[in-house]
Amino acid sequence: MTGIVYKSTGSWYTVKTELGASYQCRMKGKFRIKGIKSTNPIAVGDVVDFELETNNDETTGVIHHIKDRKNYIVRKSVNLSKQTHVIAANVDVVFLLVTIDNPPTFTSFIDRFLVTAEAYSVPTVLLFNKIDTYDEDTLNEVRYLAHVYRKIGYECIGISAATGKNIDKVKSLMKDKVCMFAGHSGVGKSTLVNAIEPTLDLKTKEISMQHMQGQHTTTFAEMFDLEFGAKIIDTPGIKGFGVVDMDKEEVGDYFPEFFELKQHCKFNNCIHVDEPKCAVKEALENDEIAYSRYRSYLQILEGEDESYRTDNYSKE
Ligand code: GDP
Ligand code: ZN
């Protein structure tokens, strides 16, 4: 039988088949997934093959195969230094909620998030929430940012989770997909999920870091079916993606507009900083690349993205 992992709590996995039957499954032996040192070999969103077995009238499943993942999101374990925890696999789309104020979402955060999502091959849509509260100046800021990000290929929608504005558009992008919601605390993730499916009560509230440090990996993601045919992966306690380690030469490849120009740089290993005849810097001077994007790029290159790290891993 084949199914999707909806929940994992240590050694048991809730697996749901296409026909909608759920089984409690465990894993046969030990799996190793090449390339990642992870604390959990099977994650929510994985497609697995399993066999049923009955003991004392109780039917459970034994997972014997994990299908190749199209992508996965990891988080570094709090305690086990080099280990990673796979939060979710096979994510079709992540919606990043952005608010201009209350709370502010800075472009450095957006860009870092997008770079990580690109590195994970997870498509991202930007949702500018709380537009019902904005004055004309703030709305212009939203329009400007939406222009910047649309131009480089990201879908952008202005929404209000409170009034329901453009929620139908979000739903149509979610249909038949495995979705996740991300963004700073207070941007409206819970409110939006409620607007989308009022009967669903997600634990989107972050758990406190104090609680988290007591255990290796406390955050158990869970997948939910929505009535209109979408799936949501809820990740309590996780506000952003983990930081992906990447080489300096690699960073520009995750800025789509830089990547496109790279072939025109004089040096094929150009990192677009001090090199002569750099197509990226020329585009920046001609206003074809947003300065905020280039600034974020430099910050990531120099490892000066501490605000992002802090936001991901500490306090609330
Ligand atoms: P979360 O931390 O991302 O889950 O954010 P919440 O959903 O808890 O929202 C934080 C606060 O913002 C709550 O007081 C919500 O009522 C409010 N809020 C969320 N979305 C909107 C919106 O579109 N418009 C307005 N006016 N308030 C919103
Ligand atoms: Zn260059």
Side-chain angles (χ1 to χ4, degrees):
M1 294 174 98
T2 302
I4 300 176
V5 177
Y6 272 61
K7 194 177 178 178
S8 107
T9 45
S11 46
W12 288 93
Y13 303 90
T14 307
V15 179
K16 200 165 173 180
T17 66
E18 239 177 47
L19 294 174
S22 281
Y23 297 96
Q24 290 303 309
C25 298
R26 56 196 174 77
M27 191 169 77
K28 185 179 179 181
K30 281 210 158 100
F31 286 108
R32 235 164 240 258
I33 293 185
K34 53 179 186 303
I36 24 172
K37 272 195 206 164
S38 104
T39 51
N40 58 327
I42 304 177
V44 168
D46 267 324
V47 181
V48 296
D49 293 328
F50 64 103
E51 271 156 30
L52 293 181
E53 51 175 37
T54 303
N55 281 318
N56 304 327
D57 285 345
E58 208 187 7
T59 302
T60 56
V62 181
I63 297 169
H64 57 84
H65 180 70
I66 308 172
K67 303 236 158 128
D68 284 346
R69 294 169 173 164
K70 74 172 178 192
N71 60 36
Y72 58 88
I73 294 166
V74 303
R75 177 181 195 286
K76 289 218 169 86
S77 287
V78 178
N79 292 336
L80 309 171
S81 51
K82 289 267 163 63
Q83 292 260 35
T84 54
H85 182 77
V86 180
I87 298 165
N90 302 318
V91 180
D92 291 315
V93 57
V94 167
F95 294 92
L96 177 63
L97 274 76
V98 171
T99 47
I100 304 300
D101 48 37
N102 195 17
T105 305
F106 298 116
T107 50
S108 54
F109 174 82
I110 299 173
D111 295 333
R112 175 47 123 158
F113 189 94
L114 293 177
V115 162
T116 315
E118 291 288 341
Y120 285 137
S121 313
V122 179
T124 307
V125 172
L126 300 184
L127 301 180
F128 294 91
N129 192 28
K130 305 199 186 183
I131 54 170
D132 58 298
T133 64
Y134 296 157
D135 59 17
E136 198 54 29
D137 282 351
T138 315
L139 283 175
N140 278 333
E141 211 169 316
V142 170
R143 288 180 192 117
Y144 172 73
L145 285 177
H147 165 76
V148 164
Y149 289 101
R150 268 185 204 128
K151 199 173 153 198
I152 56 174
Y154 296 102
E155 188 140 4
C156 297
I157 310 177
I159 65 163
S160 168
T163 68
K165 169 106 178 151
N166 283 342
I167 300 304
D168 52 334
K169 287 191 183 158
V170 178
K171 282 172 87 167
S172 70
L173 290 176
M174 292 175 70
K175 193 154 169 36
D176 301 325
K177 292 189 175 149
V178 174
C179 313
M180 282 178 74
F181 291 89
H184 286 308
S185 182
V187 290
K189 296 181 293 295
S190 326
T191 311
L192 175 60
V193 169
N194 256 315
I196 288 166
E197 186 119 332
T199 53
L200 198 70
D201 181 28
L202 294 190
K203 302 175 276 299
T204 22
K205 284 274 164 286
E206 285 84 20
I207 47 175
S208 80
M209 197 59 192
Q210 220 173 2
H211 176 62
M212 220 175 215
Q213 273 162 351
Q215 300 164 39
H216 292 320
T217 46
T218 39
T219 40
F220 289 115
E222 185 167 358
M223 184 141 82
F224 296 91
D225 287 322
L226 304 190
E227 271 173 20
F228 64 97
K231 293 178 168 62
I232 288 190
I233 297 182
D234 186 29
T235 54
I238 296 168
K239 287 183 272 176
F241 290 164
V243 177
V244 177
D245 292 321
M246 49 183 100
D247 296 334
K248 273 192 185 333
E249 290 81 40
E250 211 184 338
V251 178
D253 294 350
Y254 303 125
F255 281 72
E257 74 275 44
F258 294 20
F259 183 69
E260 206 172 286
L261 288 170
K262 188 176 155 179
Q263 52 178 317
H264 302 299
C265 292
K266 183 173 181 201
F267 298 101
N268 62 7
N269 60 348
C270 186
I271 59 165
H272 326 305
V273 180
D274 293 319
E275 295 92 339
K277 297 224 161 70
C278 166
V280 170
K281 283 200 299 174
E282 278 166 23
L284 181 70
E285 274 154 32
N286 297 333
D287 282 333
E288 286 153 15
I289 282 180
Y291 179 70
S292 63
R293 292 279 292 165
Y294 188 70
R295 190 181 49 207
S296 298
Y297 172 73
L298 291 181
Q299 283 171 356
I300 294 169
L301 216 56
E302 288 157 18
E304 281 176 11
D305 51 328
E306 290 308 317
S307 64
Y308 176 85
R309 284 166 203 255
T310 309
D311 187 81
N312 253 352
Y313 293 117
S314 62
K315 62 157 207 232
E316 227 340 79

